[in-house]
Amino acid sequence: CELSGAEAALVVNNTAAAVLLLLTARARGKEVLISRSELVEIGGSFRVPEIMEASGAILREVGTTNRTYVEDYEKAVTSNTAAILKVHRSNFRVSGFTHEATTSELVELAGRCNLPFWFDLGSATFGPLPAELPVECDVRAELSAGIDVGCFSGDKLLGGPQSGILVGKKEAIAELAAHP
């Protein structure tokens, strides 16, 4: 919490487990909105669509592979929507004719729709990196922007044993910690 600026944190065995716990505990049987361009394979050959299926959440793709706007998410919200999920594409880039909704746009939309906004931050950092290094999500900045729960790879960021770290709002993390 001190490093990230989060109200609360929870450590699990890897980031795929963090996403699975988040979806299982908070979205089983409900839709989770995610951009088509973020349906990626993350560490350990875990794929976001498979994690969503295993959780019991309903995958609701929005936008296109190369362009997803906040309006795409807004049009997809229904009474069965549980959350908006964003996944950082740590291990590849989409370039050219592209667009993705920003964190601030999605936080604002989630607030208007009374939905949580979750962000798989990938490898992440605890501050901005020099321009020469690959772009990674800044945990502190994303939490400050208003995400409800973020998760990231503890082993990649902290250099320790494999782990997935969930950070965010106290109530949400407490609900995750209490989930069997």
Side-chain angles (χ1 to χ4, degrees):
C1 292
E2 188 174 325
L3 289 171
S4 68
E7 292 177 10
L10 178 65
V11 179
V12 296
N13 68 322
N14 59 32
T15 310
V19 174
L20 180 64
L21 175 61
L22 185 59
L23 293 168
T24 302
R26 313 241 8 242
R28 181 175 288 282
K30 296 205 168 255
E31 293 179 347
V32 176
L33 309 182
I34 184 170
S35 172
R36 283 184 173 91
S37 67
E38 297 169 2
L39 298 175
V40 299
E41 182 174 304
I42 57 180
S45 299
F46 296 106
R47 294 178 173 188
V48 171
E50 293 167 356
I51 293 168
M52 291 185 82
E53 182 179 356
S55 75
I58 301 165
L59 170 66
R60 178 77 189 269
E61 299 177 34
V62 299
T64 64
T65 303
N66 62 321
R67 296 176 74 92
T68 304
Y69 297 90
V70 70
E71 294 83 11
D72 296 319
Y73 292 89
E74 189 168 21
K75 288 180 207 170
V77 172
T78 70
S79 61
N80 197 38
T81 304
I84 298 170
L85 174 65
K86 186 166 183 60
V87 176
H88 177 60
R89 297 180 303 264
S90 296
N91 54 4
F92 77 98
R93 304 285 175 254
V94 176
S95 62
F97 189 62
T98 64
H99 181 83
E100 67 180 282
T102 66
T103 296
S104 57
E105 289 174 324
L106 294 173
V107 165
E108 192 275 328
L109 174 63
R112 270 191 297 114
C113 296
N114 199 30
L115 295 170
F117 175 50
W118 306 326
F119 199 160
D120 176 344
L121 302 162
S123 299
T125 67
F126 285 131
L129 295 173
E132 304 80 40
L133 294 175
V135 175
E136 289 297 337
C137 296
D138 180 338
V139 177
R140 284 183 165 279
E142 298 299 339
L143 286 168
S144 293
I147 67 172
D148 294 285
V149 175
C151 59
F152 55 90
S153 177
D155 50 304
K156 291 179 185 77
L157 180 55
L158 301 173
Q162 183 171 327
S163 62
I165 301 176
L166 294 129
V167 293
K169 296 183 178 171
K170 187 182 254 182
E171 308 80 41
I173 298 298
E175 184 178 337
L176 298 174
H179 192 275

